[in-house]
Amino acid sequence: MILRPCQQEAVDEVYEHLRTKDTTPCVVLPTGTGKSLCLARIASDAVTLWGGRVLILAHVKELLEQNADKVRRLCPELNNLGNNLGIMWNNEACPASFRALARPQLRRGIF
């Protein structure tokens, strides 16, 4: 996946932040500039380069579906993308809503 320069800059800044700081990075991009693409790249790198797992959170179902769809389409190497209930954590990447994480029976195995 080839990112536009502003997207690649955002991803690079996240990685620099993670390397040099103990705080959580936050990416702010205007509407339509490709936040979902940045998320897909970071998720792909976390799994393929560093052997990590990714939990994709969103506060509304539409954003959750949009981000999960982008990751599925742009990152075929993440062939174990879980469902949107937050219960498939043995997968490499798992989209989940905040509501799902509030239910103990649905977050089993995530933490």
Side-chain angles (χ1 to χ4, degrees), residues 14-66:
V14 167
Y15 295 159
E16 179 64 22
H17 186 101
L18 292 172
R19 275 192 296 276
T20 61
K21 297 180 173 35
D22 289 328
T23 58
T24 304
C26 177
V27 175
V28 179
L29 293 170
T31 301
T33 56
K35 291 179 285 292
S36 295
L37 296 173
C38 294
L39 176 134
R41 168 55 62 84
I42 292 168
S44 175
D45 287 351
V47 171
T48 60
L49 299 179
W50 307 308
R53 296 187 301 174
V54 178
L55 179 62
I56 301 167
L57 289 174
H59 67 290
V60 293
K61 183 179 179 183
E62 293 79 16
L63 286 177
L64 186 63
E65 291 171 347
Q66 172 187 327

Side-chain angles (χ1 to χ4, degrees), residues 65-86:
E65 291 171 347
Q66 172 187 327
N67 288 327
D69 180 58
K70 285 279 185 356
V71 171
R72 280 186 187 98
R73 288 190 296 118
L74 299 172
C75 305
E77 66 276 12
L78 298 182
N79 54 10
N80 287 327
L81 187 66
N83 65 18
N84 64 359
L85 297 176

